[in-house]
Amino acid sequence: MMGLELADNIAAVRRNIADAALAAGRDPGAIRLVAVSKGVDAATIQRAAGLGLTDFGENRVQEGRTKRPVIQEAVTWHFIGHLQSNKVKYVLGQYAMLHSLDRMSLARELSKRLERQRLELDCLVQVNVAREAVKHGLEPDRALPFVDAVRRLPGICVVGLMTIPPFSEDAEASRPHYRGLRLLAHEIAARQWPGVGMDQLSMGMSGDYPVAIAEGATMVRVGSALFRGDDR
Ligand SMILES: *Cc1c(COP(=O)(O)O)cnc(C)c1O
């Protein structure tokens, strides 16, 4: 992928983020762009970091393990994919945030290892707002009791929620799901549980991030809109 094209893509996404934020009366600086670099080679990630991107998201443990050590710039890594409990050891100390905490068995395994290594990990609880059978993520009704259970586990810091809506060509189709996630975060935040933050909403992808921002996203996970190019 040509550097100029990448620079153009980054500028366009940043502009769209700013426009969507301002239209919603929000501060564009309050929205973090997580560049989803799955399937993107290390050299391109390196170039994107050189062009000012600071946050990168990977969804496969093995792919991350081969690419991350190559990147020279100090960037922040997010793990955004489904995480198997037996791969937890490859995530701890390597990623600043886990976007996909979605079950008690994973939470227990994470906590056990975090406690042993005296580490903490910021986690987002993944909610399947649309209740799609094929998707990972908790049923919305399960999210509140889940957070209540997880907050008692050492090492895990719940900082917000994440969702992936059903695929649609129409960005507006995502709106009720993003709104639902925001309302759920409000409901959980109202409990005022010590140590539980609900400030972070990870929602919005290439096809619909302006809608997600209008509904309160604080992190958008954008892949193809940044990295699309001839070599992908
Ligand atoms: C791939 C992926 C994205 C980015 O999708 P694009 O449509 O390429 O922007 C966001 N979130 C998750 C969890 C992903 O796996």
Side-chain angles (χ1 to χ4, degrees):
M1 165 173 206
M2 303 300 287
L4 272 179
E5 188 179 12
L6 181 59
D8 283 350
N9 290 349
I10 293 171
V13 170
R14 286 204 189 287
R15 202 159 49 238
N16 291 339
I17 289 174
D19 287 350
L22 294 173
R26 302 183 56 201
D27 171 11
I31 294 140
R32 195 168 356 167
L33 172 57
V34 178
V36 177
S37 48
K38 66 185 183 201
V40 176
D41 60 40
T44 303
I45 298 175
Q46 180 85 34
R47 220 156 37 233
L51 289 164
L53 292 185
T54 55
D55 291 73
F56 293 86
E58 289 286 337
N59 72 335
R60 292 222 164 85
V61 165
Q62 190 51 46
E63 189 181 331
R65 286 184 78 197
T66 57
K67 291 193 307 195
R68 276 185 306 97
V70 182
I71 311 302
Q72 305 292 324
E73 274 85 357
V75 302
T76 300
W77 292 99
H78 300 251
F79 196 84
I80 63 170
H82 178 67
L83 180 59
Q84 291 171 263
S85 296
N86 62 359
K87 302 242 169 95
V88 160
K89 56 178 172 287
Y90 301 121
V91 166
L92 298 195
Q94 308 296 316
Y95 290 85
M97 191 179 287
L98 173 69
H99 288 232
S100 51
L101 182 60
D102 65 350
R103 60 198 191 280
M104 210 54 211
S105 56
L106 175 61
R108 283 204 199 89
E109 180 65 22
L110 272 170
S111 177
K112 192 177 79 188
R113 288 178 178 273
L114 284 163
E115 193 178 23
R116 200 184 292 157
Q117 298 182 42
R118 298 180 192 282
L119 290 172
E120 293 198 330
L121 180 64
D122 285 348
C123 295
L124 302 170
V125 172
Q126 183 176 351
V127 183
N128 183 357
V129 182
R131 301 169 196 270
E132 281 181 290
V134 293
K135 284 266 170 71
H136 297 294
L138 287 151
E139 294 277 308
D141 317 341
R142 296 287 314 144
L144 191 136
F146 179 77
V147 172
D148 192 18
V150 165
R151 73 190 177 96
R152 298 158 206 275
L153 297 176
I156 297 180
C157 305
V158 176
V159 297
L161 304 179
M162 176 273 217
T163 198
I164 306 172
F167 177 78
S168 170
E169 296 286 349
D170 175 15
E172 281 300 324
S174 301
R175 189 181 294 274
H177 307 298
Y178 293 155
R179 183 169 298 168
L181 195 73
R182 168 163 53 85
L183 295 175
L184 187 56
H186 278 294
E187 191 186 327
I188 297 172
R191 300 294 171 117
Q192 300 190 310
W193 283 322
V196 173
M198 276 290 131
D199 296 336
Q200 300 296 331
L201 290 177
S202 169
M203 55 189 200
M205 314 200 294
S206 291
D208 62 14
Y209 62 95
V211 170
I213 290 166
E215 293 298 333
T218 62
M219 285 182 277
V220 291
R221 308 179 310 271
V222 179
S224 47
L226 291 169
F227 296 113
R228 69 175 150 234
D230 294 338
D231 65 351
R232 278 195 87 195

